């Protein structure tokens, strides 16, 4: 639904409803906007002002009546570019402040799809050229294959991070296994009864391990050299025993 998709771009639910209503209506007064968007008229005034400040809507006077209209949706792309530019400007200072922290959390907890994506981003930004681990199919139902096909995997390949994974034998992983060379990964499969995994465990970076339960939408990043080395040893022992 477009209403929910717009939430990703800084809209709340009512802003999303009103913006979409205006796109369909063209020029309209507050009463018509309230009827179309199904948002209370008293709330519409406040939301319109917020959208106006963002440059997403404009106003025009017609026969002494104030009407509102939605700016082109391309304005959303411009807004994202502005935010990206502002972030890039302050990023060196933010990183400088972050580096002053001597003791950072060794275990970080995340929940929700946004939290899981934060973990996946960390896997790509840890500065290593190899990652390994045990994978389930659960990501397909929680985040969807499109995220990995269009973003995560291309970015991993661009950064030349090779991925060795052990997965349950299935049609899904058989299809992916055929792309081993092209996708910069190697997949080895085990019979499902021998690898009854419910959580993905990925060993990456110099000292990190991630655990993601896609079904429960929760995950951990553990920064521990000892745990990293132990799990890496277990994985590699299992890996070398598999055909």
């Amino acid at each position: 639904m477009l209403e929910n998709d717009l939430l990703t771009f800084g809209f709340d639910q009512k802003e999303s409803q009103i913006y979409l209503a205006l796109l369909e209506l063209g020029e309209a007064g507050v009463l018509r906007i309230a009827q179309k968007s199904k948002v209370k008229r008293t709330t519409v005034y406040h939301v319109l002002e917020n959208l106006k400040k963002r440059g997403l809507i404009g106003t025009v006077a017609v026969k002494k009546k104030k009407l509102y209209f939605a700016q082109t949706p391309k304005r959303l792309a411009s807004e994202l570019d502005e935010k990206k530019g502002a972030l890039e400007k302050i990023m060196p200072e933010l990183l400088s402040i972050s580096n002053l922290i001597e003791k950072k959390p060794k275990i970080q907890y995340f929940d929700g799809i946004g939290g899981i994506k934060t973990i996946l981003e960390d896997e790509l930004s840890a500065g290593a050229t190899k990652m390994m681990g045990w994978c389930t199919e659960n990501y397909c139902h929680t985040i969807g294959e499109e995220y990995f096909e269009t973003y995560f995997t291309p970015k991993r390949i661009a950064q030349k991070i090779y991925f060795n994974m052990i997965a349950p034998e299935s049609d899904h992983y058989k299809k992916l296994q055929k792309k081993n060379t092209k996708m910069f990964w190697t997949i080895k499969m085990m019979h499902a009864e021998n690898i009854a995994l419910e959580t993905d465990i990925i060993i990456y970076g110099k000292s990190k391990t991630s655990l993601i339960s896609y079904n429960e939408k929760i995950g951990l990043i553990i920064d521990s050299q000892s745990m990293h080395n132990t799990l890496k040893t277990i994985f590699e022992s299992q890996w070398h025993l598999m055909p």
Side-chain angles (χ1 to χ4, degrees):
M1 260 181 91
L2 274 176
E3 280 184 19
N4 293 331
D5 291 335
L6 283 176
L7 301 183
T8 307
F9 298 95
F11 288 77
D12 64 26
Q13 190 66 45
K14 291 182 174 58
E15 288 172 341
S16 177
Q17 290 171 238
I18 289 172
Y19 180 70
L20 288 173
L22 271 174
L23 283 177
E24 293 183 36
L25 291 170
E27 296 175 357
V30 171
L31 178 59
R32 184 72 187 98
I33 295 169
Q35 292 170 338
K36 179 70 174 176
S37 65
K38 297 181 174 57
V39 176
K40 290 181 181 180
R41 185 175 178 179
T42 52
T43 303
V44 169
Y45 285 102
H46 175 69
V47 173
L48 287 171
E49 282 305 307
N50 288 342
L51 293 175
K52 188 177 178 182
K53 288 176 183 176
R54 289 177 63 181
L56 297 175
I57 66 168
T59 59
V60 62
V62 178
K63 295 180 181 181
K64 296 183 179 181
K65 185 177 180 180
K66 189 176 186 180
L67 301 180
Y68 296 83
F69 63 91
Q71 301 285 7
T72 171
K74 290 182 180 179
R75 171 60 194 151
L76 289 173
S78 298
E79 186 181 54
L80 287 176
D81 288 339
E82 290 168 9
K83 289 181 178 179
K84 183 179 179 182
L87 179 60
E88 288 175 349
K89 186 177 179 181
I90 64 172
M91 184 59 72
E93 189 173 354
L94 292 174
L95 291 173
S96 176
I97 295 170
S98 175
N99 290 334
L100 291 175
I101 301 173
E102 294 181 3
K103 189 175 181 181
K104 297 183 180 180
K106 291 294 184 181
I107 301 177
Q108 300 177 63
Y109 170 82
F110 302 86
D111 62 11
I113 291 176
I116 289 174
K117 288 183 177 179
T118 298
I119 296 174
L120 296 170
E121 283 285 343
D122 194 68
E123 292 173 1
L124 296 177
S125 63
T129 57
K130 192 171 184 179
M131 54 195 292
M132 62 192 74
W134 297 268
C135 300
T136 68
E137 289 185 43
N138 298 335
Y139 72 90
C140 298
H141 312 294
T142 303
I143 291 183
E145 293 182 72
E146 184 180 358
Y147 171 81
F148 289 89
E149 291 173 354
T150 62
Y151 178 74
F152 183 86
T153 300
K155 190 171 180 181
R156 178 180 58 77
I157 293 171
Q159 294 177 203
K160 297 182 179 179
I161 303 172
Y162 204 89
F163 190 6
N164 285 342
M165 68 179 90
I166 296 174
E169 187 173 2
S170 66
D171 291 338
H172 173 73
Y173 277 110
K174 284 177 182 177
K175 183 175 70 173
L176 295 182
Q177 193 180 48
K178 293 177 182 178
K179 303 177 182 179
N180 270 355
T181 304
K182 178 182 175 182
M183 304 309 286
F184 217 58
W185 63 33
T186 300
I187 300 172
K188 292 188 178 183
M189 294 181 290
M190 295 181 65
H191 291 296
E193 60 268 21
N194 295 328
I195 185 172
L197 293 177
E198 295 185 26
T199 300
D200 283 36
I201 304 171
I202 307 299
I203 306 148
Y204 66 100
K206 294 181 179 179
S207 60
K208 290 186 173 182
T209 305
S210 69
L211 291 85
I212 300 177
S213 173
Y214 285 101
N215 289 341
E216 297 173 308
K217 297 184 180 66
I218 58 173
L220 298 172
I221 293 176
I222 302 173
D223 190 352
S224 163
Q225 192 68 64
S226 177
M227 291 183 68
H228 176 94
N229 291 346
T230 300
L231 286 168
K232 183 179 178 182
T233 299
I234 293 171
F235 178 89
E236 289 179 341
S237 297
Q238 186 176 16
W239 181 262
H240 294 307
L241 290 173
M242 295 176 69

